[in-house]
């Protein structure tokens, strides 16, 4: 089965710095990859989608990269703010699994002012 | 409604009881998914509906779990004879497109937190 690995430890950074979160996957290469944000007691909220033929995607302060050679996606938040503190989930989508999303365990980000 | 609505928000059940969890997806959304999320983990797929058809139930952990979406809108996840290991947050998600088109984003509800004592 697919294994999705995200930073197991929480990431603590200072306000204004760039946060970089890692998502590694094994075996099959996903057709696309989504990133979600989840706040305590809430469901995940979609942030960005990147396809296998795209190297990079940007949206405001967010940037996602997708390296199929390294089997890795990086998620960057520039000029981070305390309001960015949340859990960030990586979710590759696999044709082999009927395009179901397979979620990682998530990385907790804490931005300190 | 404006978003995906799930009820109840919290459910406490005694071991052996049956429970029913409801999901109201965004109006017009074709796809509906149920996920189970344990504490500190990511959501795990349970089952998928395209309109009223249940196309994938490969993630349901046992035959005690049953889901339906009879009219292609509201869905119910039923768990019979609940066990302690069923304790988790159950998330419902919907999307406008049929799954498999590769570009759908999911809209999640806030989930139902089930505690089995």
């Amino acid at each position: 089965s697919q294994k999705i690995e995200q930073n197991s430890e929480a990431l603590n950074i200072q306000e204004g710095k760039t946060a970089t979160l890692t998502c590694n996957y094994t075996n099959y290469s996903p057709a696309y990859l989504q990133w979600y944000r989840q706040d305590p007691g809430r469901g995940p909220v979609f942030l960005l989608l990147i396809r296998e033929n795209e190297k990079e995607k940007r949206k405001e302060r967010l940037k996602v990269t997708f390296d199929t050679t390294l089997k890795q996606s990086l998620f960057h938040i520039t000029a981070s703010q305390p309001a960015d503190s949340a859990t960030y989930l990586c979710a590759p989508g696999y044709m082999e699994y009927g395009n179901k999303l397979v979620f990682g365990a998530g990385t907790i980000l804490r931005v300190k002012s | 409604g404006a978003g995906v609505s799930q009820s109840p928000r919290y459910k406490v059940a005694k071991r052996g009881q049956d429970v029913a969890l409801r999901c109201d997806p965004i109006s017009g959304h074709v796809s509906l998914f149920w996920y189970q999320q344990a504490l500190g983990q990511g959501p795990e797929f349970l089952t998928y509906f395209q309109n009223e058809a249940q196309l994938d139930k490969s993630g349901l952990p046992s035959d005690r779990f049953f889901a339906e979406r009879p009219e292609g809108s509201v869905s119910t996840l039923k768990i019979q004879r609940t066990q302690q290991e069923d304790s988790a947050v159950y998330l419902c998600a919907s999307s406008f497109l049929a799954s498999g088109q590769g570009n759908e984003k999911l809209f999640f509800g806030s989930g139902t937190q089930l505690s089995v004592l």
Side-chain angles (χ1 to χ4, degrees), chain A residues 32 34 36 38 41-44 46 49 51 89 98-101 103-105, chain B residues 9 35 37 42-43 45 56 58 91 99-100 102-106 108-110:
Chain A
Y32 58 93
Q34 299 187 18
Y36 287 78
Q38 188 172 26
R42 307 300 298 269
F46 172 82
L49 179 151
R51 295 185 176 80
L89 299 164
N99 270 305
K100 292 192 293 287
L101 293 180
F103 283 87
Chain B
R9 188 74 179 85
Y35 284 85
Q37 186 172 27
F45 171 82
D56 189 337
S58 61
L91 293 165
S99 182
N103 57 353
E104 68 273 22
K105 62 182 182 182
L106 299 185
F108 281 86
S110 291

Side-chain angles (χ1 to χ4, degrees), chain B residues 26-82:
Chain B
I26 294 172
S27 178
H29 277 198
V30 168
S31 293
L32 186 145
F33 299 81
W34 283 98
Y35 284 85
Q36 181 190 61
Q37 186 172 27
L39 191 64
Q41 299 299 312
E44 293 216 5
F45 171 82
L46 293 177
T47 187
Y48 163 65
F49 289 86
Q50 183 175 312
N51 297 310
E52 69 279 1
Q54 188 175 20
L55 298 186
D56 189 337
K57 51 182 180 179
S58 61
L60 296 177
S62 78
D63 58 7
R64 296 186 295 104
F65 286 71
F66 171 77
E68 59 183 5
R69 193 187 185 197
E71 296 178 359
S73 54
V74 171
S75 177
T76 303
L77 176 67
K78 298 179 180 178
I79 309 174
Q80 297 176 324
R81 304 181 302 283
T82 52

